[in-house]
Amino acid sequence: MPSSNADYLQNPKPAYPSMSKRLGEQGTVMVRVLISVDGLPQQVQVYRSSGFERLDKAAVDSVSRWKFVPGKRNGVPEAMTYNVPVNFVLE
């Protein structure tokens, strides 16, 4: 197991799909990301759906462009998976 987990930086929030706003769709998408040793997402997929395909797609599209702090094992960066919650809440 890694000695320190990956983490995400101050990345931009995903754009809320306009149709989802109009329909009142909201929820949390749990996105599983394989993070490279460079901190870039190599694979991004929905781990747990929000229940709304538009929100799930917006979360995956956004997280695919994020940058991360890679996890480390014995102080050496290592590729690893990380679960990222992406919340869509109407205000």
Side-chain angles (χ1 to χ4, degrees):
M1 295 299 296
S3 59
S4 67
N5 289 325
D7 200 3
Y8 44 90
L9 302 169
Q10 296 297 323
N11 290 296
K13 290 172 55 172
Y16 213 120
S18 57
M19 180 62 79
S20 292
K21 280 184 179 180
R22 283 194 293 274
L23 295 174
E25 297 174 347
Q26 49 185 349
T28 300
V29 183
M30 187 64 70
V31 178
R32 177 164 281 172
V33 185
L34 174 60
I35 302 168
S36 72
V37 296
D38 298 324
L40 300 174
Q42 292 182 312
Q43 293 177 353
V44 181
Q45 62 189 28
V46 174
Y47 179 67
R48 191 174 66 232
S49 174
S50 65
F52 300 101
E53 188 176 334
R54 275 182 292 273
L55 298 182
D56 294 350
K57 183 177 179 337
V60 168
D61 290 349
S62 185
V63 172
S64 295
R65 295 187 303 271
W66 286 6
K67 293 186 180 174
F68 296 82
V69 176
K72 294 181 181 179
R73 185 192 311 255
N74 298 324
V76 178
E78 179 177 278
M80 66 181 308
T81 57
Y82 190 68
N83 293 329
V84 179
V86 179
N87 298 307
F88 290 94
V89 179
L90 293 170
E91 297 177 10

